[in-house]
Amino acid sequence: MASAFGVVAPAGAALDIGQPAPSFSAPAALGGKPFTYSLSAALAKGPVVLYFFPAAFTVGCSLEAHAFAEAVDKFAAMGTTIIGVSTDDIDTLTKFSNQACQGKFPVASDATKSISQSFDALMQTRPDFANRISYVIAPNGTVAAHYQNLDPDKHVEKMLAAVKELPQNRDKK
């Protein structure tokens, strides 16, 4: 399945910079423990990196989750939290949160695809899967940055750079 994602053309859409991010609550897991994630509650604490990924336990998605886990402290130093979202069921993501995410950040299940749809994050050619797209959402709930590429390599780097550009982080460079 992982190799199939490499040939899928990315969707051309993403929410615009400055556009309000759709609020959501979803079943999620952190370190193997299920809970309900709320974007508005997370934003009350600071910026959020919201990244969508196609499928837990595929090579690219595991690499991306590991990279975000390794960078958690860098994001935290700028007051930013991370949430991963896929269309996988919560049981799969509970295991993924402990293994690939190393218990360092939560992942949420979007089995109904409503969250992915509201963020223009569904693959055009495989609409049962989220595309690989990352967003920085400012504390006021607006999209501050986005990056879309099926290759997982640059998502963490691009999101760190975008978080550094947020007004509250510009002097921390």
Side-chain angles (χ1 to χ4, degrees):
M1 185 183 287
S3 62
F5 292 127
V7 296
V8 177
L15 297 182
D16 290 332
I17 305 296
Q19 185 174 349
S23 188
F24 68 89
S25 291
L30 174 61
K33 295 185 169 96
F35 72 103
T36 299
Y37 178 88
S38 164
L39 179 61
S40 60
L43 287 170
K45 299 172 190 167
V48 172
V49 169
L50 167 63
Y51 83 94
F52 291 89
F53 60 98
F57 297 110
T58 57
V59 174
C61 296
S62 293
L63 286 170
E64 183 178 31
H66 180 77
F68 271 114
E70 293 297 308
V72 159
D73 292 340
K74 292 177 183 176
F75 285 106
M78 294 182 284
T80 303
T81 58
I82 301 166
I83 178 73
V85 175
S86 80
T87 60
D88 291 301
D89 62 63
I90 190 61
D91 292 336
T92 300
L93 290 174
T94 297
K95 294 174 192 140
F96 190 72
S97 75
N98 215 17
Q99 294 174 20
C101 305
Q102 304 167 24
K104 293 188 176 184
F105 65 90
V107 283
S109 173
D110 182 24
T112 65
K113 300 168 193 63
S114 61
I115 301 165
S116 301
Q117 195 167 36
S118 69
F119 279 87
D120 290 330
L122 288 175
M123 287 188 185
Q124 287 181 341
T125 57
R126 300 204 49 200
D128 285 339
F129 297 95
N131 208 337
R132 191 174 317 280
I133 183 167
S134 301
Y135 287 97
V136 172
I137 304 171
N140 69 359
T142 61
V143 174
H146 58 78
Y147 176 72
Q148 182 174 326
N149 193 316
L150 279 174
D151 184 341
D153 287 348
K154 299 232 184 254
H155 283 264
V156 171
E157 172 189 327
K158 297 283 188 182
M159 294 299 94
L160 274 170
V163 169
K164 286 178 184 173
E165 291 302 317
L166 292 173
Q168 65 267 32
N169 292 324
R170 287 195 185 127
D171 358 337
K172 294 181 185 178
K173 290 181 189 177

